[in-house]
Amino acid sequence: MNKEIKRTERFENLGLIQPLLKAIKEKKYIEPTPIQIKAIPLVLRRNDVLGCAQTGTGKTAAFAIPILQHLYHERQGKSNSRKIRSLIITPTRELAIQIAESFTLYGKFTGIKNTVIFGGVKQKAQTDALRQGVDVLVATPGRLLDLMDQGFIRLKDVEYFVLDEADRMLDMGFIHDIRKIIAKLPVKRQSLFFSATMPKNIVELSRKILRNPTKIEVSPEAPTVEIIQQYLYYTNKSSKTKLLFHILQNPKIVHVLLFSRTKHGCDRIVRNLKKQKIKAAAIHGDKTQNNRQKALAQFKAGEIRVLVATDIAARGIDINKLKYVVNYDIPNIAETYVHRIGRTGRAGEEGSAISICEPEENAYIREIEKLIRQKIEIVKENPFPQTEKPMTTNEKKEWEKEKQQRKQEFFAAKKKREDRSKSFRKKR
Ligand code: AMP
């Protein structure tokens, strides 16, 4: 059940100017989220902010809206030439694109211009946009440094700096890049620093960036999983496809983000769905950036019913009002389950997660239930229930191989995390 979330504040009481209130109204936001209530007045008062918040809390608007207000006031009466006065750094391309889109939407009536730069694509379109002049630059660290080295970007006019998703930034090994970028920023500036978690290395990094920051913290309004309705189908491997078609017969399930563990799995599912005349597309690491963006845009526009993604490809993507997530397999790392289903139920919206579990994955369900501290509801009306049927020799072999692979993945991820935090500590 979707829990009623009580909020009493109104955007009108946060000291915002009309052009912003008008855009917020167009976005049909009724009330500010808790992080917006806390952050907007602080940023308007030019405080540095250390924000402990996850995506899905409305954090982008919490920094974008007040920054736009500052920029709007300062632009009044100025000539048409533009300098980069606000810089937002974020770890992934998908997040960068979404943040830039947010600036465009919230800033629709302010005349403030933004652009976004990220790696993996040709730089020409990006440098062309920069040449036109922008007030806000949203960037991933690698491409930013690259274009700075080539002389396309100078940071000497930056007044408002945001470091977004700092913990993920360090996880992804961006610490040196971040240091280089900070070194080029003017000393006199307002800085905002956001991270979902605050381990010691993050707090230390924040000290290098912020001056007398005010700390704000919001936990997701209800732990994400609590507001998401979760269902579980136990079935056999050989029945998964049929079961998926059965699930998709429900007309209420208009759009689905479906997770598969492997790239091959994603492609196979898309092929099967297309055979059934269900519009589907895959996003994973073997697809080009353009391909992924196109699939995501088509999904957002409602042209595709099922978007099939690997965990990595889906990181950080935000699909407004996504109601259904399907787990075509059960992740072996329990936290991955929470990340996956957290794509729905954002900013207090309703959401459902449906998981399909084959016998060999039963143990993973127990791990997940331990982590989320609740039982997932088992769907009784299941035309393809799990049977005790023993696996064939071939299936057994395949499963053994997959199990080994999953184990390796688990330990590789763990080691990577440990190595990164070790190397960070050493360099300090
Ligand atoms: P974020 O945490 O910035 O990734 O935002 C998560 C989602 O919440 C985005 O889809 C936003 O459009 C949406 N959102 C942000 N602020 C509000 C609000 N005040 N009311 C409703 N939705 C919001």
Side-chain angles (χ1 to χ4, degrees):
M1 259 336 83
N2 193 5
K3 287 194 180 142
E4 196 59 44
I5 291 151
K6 285 207 186 76
R7 298 188 200 122
T8 46
E9 280 289 346
R10 292 160 53 85
F11 279 109
E12 285 78 1
N13 298 339
L14 294 178
L16 295 171
I17 51 174
Q18 273 312 317
L20 290 166
L21 290 173
K22 196 170 157 194
I24 292 166
K25 207 167 168 194
E26 271 198 10
K27 275 286 279 175
K28 300 202 166 53
Y29 293 168
I30 301 163
E31 301 146 315
T33 65
I35 189 152
Q36 291 161 4
I37 295 170
K38 288 182 185 170
I40 291 175
L42 279 172
V43 182
L44 288 179
R45 285 204 300 270
R46 299 184 185 274
N47 266 79
D48 277 11
V49 170
L50 175 62
C52 189
Q54 300 177 339
T55 43
T57 51
K59 120 177 108 74
T60 313
F63 63 76
I65 289 173
I67 287 178
L68 281 162
Q69 179 146 330
H70 284 315
L71 296 174
Y72 176 83
H73 280 314
E74 286 153 20
R75 259 212 84 71
Q76 297 310 303
K78 293 251 170 74
S79 71
N80 245 346
S81 79
R82 290 168 198 269
K83 294 169 183 162
I84 300 168
R85 286 181 296 145
S86 181
L87 173 69
I88 323 294
I89 308 280
T90 191
T92 69
R93 304 157 192 185
E94 281 80 8
L95 275 171
I97 292 168
Q98 275 163 27
I99 293 172
E101 279 171 2
S102 298
F103 268 94
T104 305
L105 284 166
Y106 304 133
K108 191 172 167 190
F109 304 107
T110 59
I112 299 299
K113 280 177 70 174
N114 74 75
T115 197
V116 56
I117 60 171
F118 46 81
V121 292
K122 293 206 177 93
Q123 68 176 46
K124 170 90 171 44
Q126 298 178 355
T127 52
D128 283 351
L130 286 164
R131 254 193 222 106
Q132 306 263 320
V134 293
D135 305 288
V136 180
L137 177 64
V138 185
T140 55
R143 179 56 59 99
L144 173 63
L145 281 172
D146 209 4
L147 296 187
M148 280 163 64
D149 287 344
Q150 293 178 51
F152 286 107
I153 296 172
R154 291 171 70 184
L155 302 182
K156 66 175 187 41
D157 298 300
V158 171
E159 293 167 57
Y160 310 102
F161 172 62
V162 181
L163 188 76
D164 187 36
E165 307 254 329
D167 48 357
R168 219 148 106 193
M169 206 88 90
L170 295 203
D171 276 350
M172 291 171 76
F174 282 137
I175 182 68
H176 296 301
D177 289 354
I178 295 169
R179 287 213 180 117
K180 278 189 211 155
I181 295 164
I182 306 168
K184 299 279 180 204
L185 288 171
V187 179
K188 194 169 169 288
R189 58 167 199 261
Q190 183 179 11
S191 302
L192 316 173
F193 183 106
F194 291 92
S195 188
T197 55
M198 287 286 166
K200 214 167 135 231
N201 56 358
I202 294 290
V203 176
E204 279 167 10
L205 176 67
S206 77
R207 287 206 189 107
K208 298 211 173 316
I209 296 175
L210 303 168
R211 262 185 319 155
N212 297 328
T214 307
K215 190 170 178 199
I216 53 178
E217 201 166 342
V218 295
S219 42
E221 294 174 330
T224 342
V225 292
E226 268 184 29
I227 59 163
I228 298 168
Q229 300 179 43
Q230 299 169 64
Y231 304 101
L232 179 61
Y233 284 89
Y234 281 115
T235 194
N236 289 339
K237 195 182 191 81
S238 54
S239 307
K240 278 189 167 181
T241 316
K242 281 178 279 180
L243 181 59
L244 176 63
F245 297 153
H246 166 77
I247 293 169
L248 292 176
Q249 271 169 16
N250 181 350
K252 275 198 203 144
I253 305 182
V254 185
H255 299 294
V256 187
L257 176 62
L258 185 143
F259 284 96
S260 165
R261 219 174 54 80
T262 65
K263 300 175 210 168
H264 287 307
C266 285
D267 290 335
R268 199 174 46 237
I269 296 164
V270 168
R271 274 199 307 275
N272 287 334
L273 288 169
K274 282 184 173 166
K275 273 189 214 152
Q276 296 290 313
K277 306 259 177 306
I278 296 172
K279 287 196 176 134
I283 52 169
H284 56 63
D286 285 350
K287 302 265 177 194
T288 63
Q289 179 63 18
N290 281 344
N291 241 321
R292 285 201 249 172
Q293 257 163 261
K294 195 174 142 209
L296 187 61
Q298 284 179 321
F299 186 65
K300 284 184 175 178
E303 292 158 19
I304 283 174
R305 185 171 177 207
V306 187
L307 186 68
V308 185
T310 56
D311 292 299
I312 295 180
R315 260 189 166 198
I317 61 172
D318 175 32
I319 300 156
N320 209 357
K321 302 203 188 310
L322 175 71
K323 288 219 164 62
Y324 290 92
V325 166
V326 170
N327 293 312
Y328 194 78
D329 45 37
I330 306 300
N332 34 319
I333 302 168
E335 284 84 358
T336 305
Y337 174 84
V338 177
H339 285 308
R340 284 182 177 187
I341 74 168
R343 306 285 108 203
T344 179
R346 305 199 119 192
E349 295 269 352
E350 225 171 295
S352 301
I354 302 166
S355 301
I356 302 177
C357 178
E358 59 183 277
E360 286 66 32
E361 294 171 331
N362 292 358
Y364 301 146
I365 293 289
R366 283 193 287 281
E367 285 301 308
I368 290 165
E369 289 181 335
K370 247 194 263 165
L371 179 74
I372 62 175
R373 295 207 201 96
Q374 67 186 88
K375 282 261 170 223
I376 306 173
E377 186 181 329
I378 299 165
V379 182
K380 303 240 166 54
E381 277 169 47
N382 176 356
F384 307 102
Q386 243 179 43
T387 58
E388 294 298 320
K389 203 174 63 180
M391 280 195 271
T392 63
T393 327
N394 243 352
E395 279 174 344
K396 233 187 225 158
K397 246 199 230 155
E398 241 177 61
W399 172 245
E400 277 309 319
K401 219 165 86 191
E402 185 175 327
K403 211 160 77 180
Q404 282 310 321
Q405 223 177 351
R406 287 188 177 206
K407 228 190 225 161
Q408 275 169 12
E409 274 170 17
F410 176 79
F411 285 113
K414 197 167 158 221
K415 185 165 181 313
K416 213 159 140 194
R417 266 199 307 272
E418 286 167 0
D419 284 354
R420 282 214 175 111
S421 65
K422 242 189 259 160
S423 94
F424 180 76
R425 280 199 301 273
K426 226 187 270 162
K427 280 185 192 105
R428 302 199 56 79

